[in-house]
Amino acid sequence: MKSLPYVIALVVVVLLVFVPWVASDVMMQFAIDALLLAVLAQAWNILGGFTGYVSFGNSVFYGLGTYGTAIAMAQYQLPFWVGLVLGVILAVVCALLIGFPILRLRGPYFAIATLGLSAAMGAIVSNMPIAGSNIGLVLPLVRADTMFYELSLGLLVVCTLTVAWISRSRFGMGLVAIREDEDAAGTMGVNTTTFKITALVLSAFFTALAGGIHAYWISFIDPASAFDPTLNVRMVIMAVFGGPGTVFGPLVGSFILSTIYEYLASSISTAAALLFGLVIVLAVIFMPRGLANMVGGVRAHGPRFFLQNIRENRL
């Protein structure tokens, strides 16, 4: 039974491969966006889900990935793959530079510290002529939704396989130990600094790749969109909704919430954000540990599971 989720995931991936053959142009654009958001949620899960360090700074790595790709392609006419590598290098270097000082903070102090990173980086980039300043950069236009879909799906598969490895490895056990009790983990011999930095770098790596793919896909970026802090909020919400610290929870959460938001935006327009927020509030009240935890909880306790969550969280 433990292998059943992986069998289901394999079947879903095989089905997703054939989507470009049957989907309309509008459906393809939604699918690419949903896949990239799932990558972001899964990448955030490596740090936030397994170590418990709730980061609101992952949009910095996303922005560096987009700008690394855009600068290489728009300013130096380099191939997309070169720009993608440049964006990843920028994100990883940034993760290493900010990781050592900022990961010394814990809990709300860490979250608050990461909250201002996107705004700071956006202000820096908006004053750099090579990055187009506030105007932004225009990338070469290419009509290849199938290519971007395949890149997004492939990246999501690789990111998920990495998370699956983490969940079964000694490294992953160390991250979970940090999440449960960091001081005790250090006492037991876990090099908490190295483990946290590694998790941050892995998270930055996949986030930057998603940013680079998105930049080439939309063919235009500016500081406001590249370093949008609300994007990081969506990563957190999707991962937490699905189940942080699990392999498939962030994926399920991101696909469900992306679909709900798209439906509400097309049907109710301006009220979409409000209703989307209401869905999140209800989810936090009735299943604060996500869908993955809810499945086991309902199986064990039935409808009482939701009442227990309300009592435990004093709601």
Side-chain angles (χ1 to χ4, degrees):
M1 290 297 292
K2 290 184 178 181
S3 62
L4 181 60
Y6 293 93
V7 174
I8 295 174
L10 179 61
V11 173
V12 171
V13 170
V14 171
L15 294 175
L16 288 175
V17 169
F18 295 98
V19 166
W21 296 4
V22 297
S24 64
D25 292 341
V26 174
M27 187 63 187
M28 281 292 290
Q29 292 183 13
F30 166 73
I32 294 170
D33 191 54
L35 288 172
L36 290 176
L37 283 172
V39 172
L40 296 180
Q42 191 71 287
W44 181 90
N45 185 42
I46 296 174
L47 180 68
F50 283 90
T51 69
Y53 275 72
V54 180
S55 170
F56 288 98
N58 272 31
S59 51
V60 170
F61 309 134
Y62 176 86
L64 291 174
T66 63
Y67 266 97
T69 303
I71 290 172
M73 297 185 70
Q75 302 287 47
Y76 297 103
Q77 291 73 51
L78 294 173
F80 168 61
W81 303 107
V82 177
L84 205 58
V85 171
L86 176 60
V88 168
I89 291 174
L90 288 174
V92 168
V93 170
C94 178
L96 290 172
L97 290 176
I98 69 173
F100 284 100
I102 208 169
L103 283 170
R104 294 179 181 275
L105 303 173
R106 300 186 187 181
Y109 302 103
F110 174 80
I112 292 171
T114 59
L115 194 60
L117 291 177
S118 295
M121 190 60 69
I124 293 172
V125 170
S126 65
N127 287 285
M128 297 176 63
I130 194 175
S133 299
N134 276 320
I135 300 174
L137 293 172
V138 178
L139 285 74
L141 182 63
V142 57
R143 299 292 185 183
D145 281 353
T146 300
M147 180 189 74
F148 291 116
Y149 177 86
E150 292 171 348
L151 285 173
S152 302
L153 179 59
L155 179 59
L156 180 58
V157 170
V158 173
C159 185
T160 302
L161 288 175
T162 302
V163 172
W165 169 78
I166 289 173
S167 68
R168 295 170 175 265
S169 67
R170 182 180 178 185
F171 172 65
M173 293 173 62
L175 295 182
V176 172
I178 292 172
R179 182 185 67 196
E180 298 303 320
D181 191 328
E182 186 169 345
D183 293 328
T187 302
M188 295 298 293
V190 176
N191 190 330
T192 57
T193 300
T194 300
F195 276 54
K196 290 186 294 184
I197 292 293
T198 304
L200 181 64
V201 167
L202 284 173
S203 183
F205 175 82
F206 288 111
T207 303
L209 285 174
I213 294 172
H214 189 263
Y216 192 24
W217 177 45
I218 63 173
S219 71
F220 172 77
I221 64 167
D222 62 357
S225 61
F227 298 99
D228 183 4
T230 62
L231 180 62
N232 207 110
V233 175
R234 293 178 71 181
M235 300 180 206
V236 177
I237 289 174
M238 289 175 172
V240 172
F241 180 82
T246 63
V247 177
F248 299 112
L251 304 186
V252 175
S254 61
F255 288 140
I256 290 176
L257 293 182
S258 293
T259 303
I260 292 174
Y261 185 82
E262 188 69 21
Y263 173 77
L264 293 176
S266 61
S267 303
I268 314 176
S269 186
T270 55
L274 177 62
L275 292 178
F276 185 74
L278 179 61
V279 170
I280 300 305
V281 170
L282 293 175
V284 170
I285 292 175
F286 291 106
M287 48 178 196
R289 295 180 183 86
L291 288 171
N293 178 260
M294 184 199 72
V295 174
V298 171
R299 187 181 301 169
H301 304 288
R304 290 180 302 168
F305 168 78
F306 300 106
L307 296 177
Q308 289 175 359
N309 282 330
I310 293 176
R311 286 196 296 266
E312 290 175 4
N313 292 278
R314 301 181 184 278
L315 295 170

